[in-house]
Amino acid sequence: MAGGKIKKEKPHRGGSGTAASANPHYQGGIPFHKSKGQHILKNPLLIDTIIEKSGIKSTDIILEIGPGTGNLTKKLLKAGKSVIAVELDPRMVLELQRRFQGTAFSNRLKVIQGDVLKCDLPYFDICVANIPYQISSPLTFKLLAHRPLFRCAVIMFQREFAMRLVAKPGDTLYCRLSVNTQLLSRVSHLLKVGRNNFRPPPKVDSFVVRIEPRKPQPSVSFKEWDGLVRICFNRKNKTLGSIFRQKSVLSILEKNYKTLQALQLSQNGSLEDTEIAVDVSTLADTAEDLSMEIDDERDDDDMEVEVGDTRASDFKDKILGLLKRGGFEDKRSSKLSQEDFMHLLSVFNKAGIHFS
């Protein structure tokens, strides 16, 4: 089920039969709650297109998230070996069980009632889903954190979220979400879906997106990576020299620098020994990317390190020197590629500057 923004709804009055006939937001006598992102895909031709573009094999175990009343589920069962459907709404779970009970598909469908963000997901080969839009970011990274890695995910997202997933350096919508998702996967648009293909129709159009995890996964500390990218995209159209002159940024980096130096001395080890284990879920905190990044035009001079503070000034010179030697001082985050961010992180890490 796809969904729009969370919104309170007025309760329906009257019996279920009357409400069902007067309200188009019903299927099989079940009212849909827009506040829960319950927007059922009703166009059978569109469902067939999604199945076709998913590239499902007859041997595939398919994960479906938010199956609703089972319109997509039925086609998935025909295409693959089995379907694992995760559904939060107990009414929908009962409807699914009734719909497929006693059919040839009953032994090939497993329904898990619960919150997909809190469930331990079993093994699956491919994920095909029409999800509530409000869980788009955490779900994307939960899937990318799943092990063993799946082959691909074909998911319906809100139009703007989908455009951010595939945005390239220099695009208006290029952001942390773009960089973090593309670090871990190859992302591509499959098709646009108009809002009138749903019952009830959401307020925005949708895109079906294919997400294919990179194999092998990149060898990088994701907390380090996201720490750097988060700073860089705080004001993505400012130069990196301007961003890294800010007091708040220098304070964080200097604190990390001193902590790691002290830890290195106490353990008589290398900085590599202190790196935090890979944790892809770190990257899921990108909800703020659904609004444009801050890019105010205030003069940042009042946020720079004071000249009289010699110790802080020396650290500032160290940071700016690294940016200059790496050729990054006058570059802007909105134009940096994956390779650029990797190189920038390497420049800092080699000098003992860390972001987690």
Side-chain angles (χ1 to χ4, degrees):
M1 280 176 276
K5 296 181 180 178
I6 298 176
K7 177 182 176 183
K8 290 185 178 180
E9 298 180 64
K10 295 180 181 179
H12 299 293
R13 295 183 179 180
S16 59
T18 303
S21 61
N23 192 320
H25 303 163
Y26 278 74
Q27 180 166 317
I30 299 177
F32 302 146
H33 298 310
K34 294 175 70 174
S35 62
K36 296 179 180 178
Q38 292 180 343
H39 296 261
I40 305 300
L41 193 58
K42 66 179 182 179
N43 185 339
L45 294 179
L46 185 58
I47 293 175
D48 290 339
T49 302
I50 293 173
I51 296 292
E52 179 185 349
K53 289 184 176 293
S54 297
I56 299 171
K57 301 176 182 178
S58 60
T59 55
D60 279 342
I61 298 173
I62 306 164
L63 174 68
E64 185 185 10
I65 299 161
T69 56
N71 292 344
L72 178 59
T73 312
K74 184 176 181 180
K75 299 293 180 73
L76 293 175
L77 285 165
K78 289 181 178 179
K81 178 181 179 182
S82 62
V83 172
I84 301 164
V86 182
E87 174 58 62
L88 180 61
D89 192 335
R91 302 171 309 148
M92 301 297 178
V93 171
L94 287 173
E95 177 63 20
L96 280 173
Q97 291 171 340
R98 289 195 201 100
R99 182 168 186 173
F100 296 105
Q101 186 176 19
T103 70
F105 301 126
S106 60
N107 293 330
R108 293 163 51 194
L109 173 64
K110 177 182 179 181
V111 182
I112 299 174
Q113 182 180 339
D115 185 341
V116 68
L117 298 180
K118 299 176 181 177
C119 292
D120 291 328
L121 298 176
Y123 173 88
F124 63 94
D125 298 296
I126 183 171
C127 174
V128 182
N130 172 25
I131 66 170
Y133 289 151
Q134 54 264 35
I135 67 169
S136 295
S137 182
L139 177 62
T140 298
F141 290 103
K142 170 157 186 164
L143 291 176
L144 289 173
H146 188 267
R147 297 296 183 272
L149 289 170
F150 52 93
R151 187 170 76 252
C152 76
V154 176
I155 304 179
M156 186 99 65
F157 289 118
Q158 178 182 343
R159 177 181 178 275
E160 186 176 343
F161 185 89
M163 290 178 69
R164 288 175 181 272
L165 286 180
V166 302
K168 301 300 181 185
D171 292 349
T172 303
L173 293 179
Y174 189 60
C175 60
R176 274 180 61 222
L177 178 65
S178 318
V179 174
N180 286 342
T181 307
Q182 293 170 34
L183 171 73
L184 301 168
S185 62
R186 296 176 181 84
V187 192
S188 57
H189 279 160
L190 293 183
L191 69 152
K192 179 182 176 180
V193 181
R195 64 196 76 182
N196 291 328
N197 288 287
F198 299 94
R199 184 189 301 117
K203 293 183 178 180
V204 294
D205 291 333
S206 305
F207 274 102
V208 178
V209 171
R210 178 184 176 91
I211 301 174
E212 184 180 349
R214 295 187 186 276
K215 299 177 183 179
Q217 291 279 279
S219 179
V220 63
S221 165
F222 297 120
K223 287 190 175 182
E224 279 276 301
W225 171 273
D226 191 54
L228 169 64
V229 174
R230 186 185 295 266
I231 288 173
C232 290
F233 277 95
N234 182 44
R235 288 184 175 86
K236 69 177 185 179
N237 291 318
K238 296 280 188 182
T239 65
L240 293 182
S242 175
I243 292 172
F244 281 90
R245 280 186 175 90
Q246 296 176 61
K247 281 184 181 181
S248 57
V249 173
L250 290 169
S251 176
I252 292 171
L253 296 183
E254 186 173 16
K255 182 179 179 181
N256 288 348
Y257 181 71
K258 289 182 175 179
T259 299
L260 290 172
Q261 276 195 325
L263 189 59
Q264 180 183 8
L265 290 172
S266 65
Q267 294 183 346
N268 193 27
S270 67
L271 286 176
E272 291 180 353
D273 296 331
T274 68
E275 288 186 357
I276 301 173
V278 169
D279 183 7
V280 176
S281 61
T282 301
L283 308 184
D285 181 22
T286 53
E288 70 274 18
D289 287 322
L290 289 178
S291 59
M292 295 302 294
E293 281 78 4
I294 298 170
D295 188 28
D296 59 38
E297 296 301 326
R298 293 178 301 168
D299 189 343
D300 287 339
D301 288 345
D302 62 334
M303 295 189 289
E304 292 185 17
V305 173
E306 298 174 5
V307 177
D309 190 342
T310 305
R311 174 186 54 77
S313 183
D314 288 345
F315 187 78
K316 171 186 171 183
D317 290 342
K318 178 182 179 71
I319 296 297
L320 296 182
L322 291 171
L323 288 174
K324 188 172 184 178
R325 286 194 294 274
F328 288 102
E329 187 176 24
D330 296 323
K331 291 187 176 180
R332 304 175 195 277
S333 307
S334 58
K335 304 291 180 65
L336 296 185
S337 66
Q338 294 281 326
E339 293 74 19
D340 291 330
F341 281 112
M342 281 287 191
H343 183 203
L344 180 58
L345 182 60
S346 175
V347 167
F348 278 124
N349 285 175
K350 286 178 180 178
I353 307 297
H354 289 258
F355 296 85
S356 65

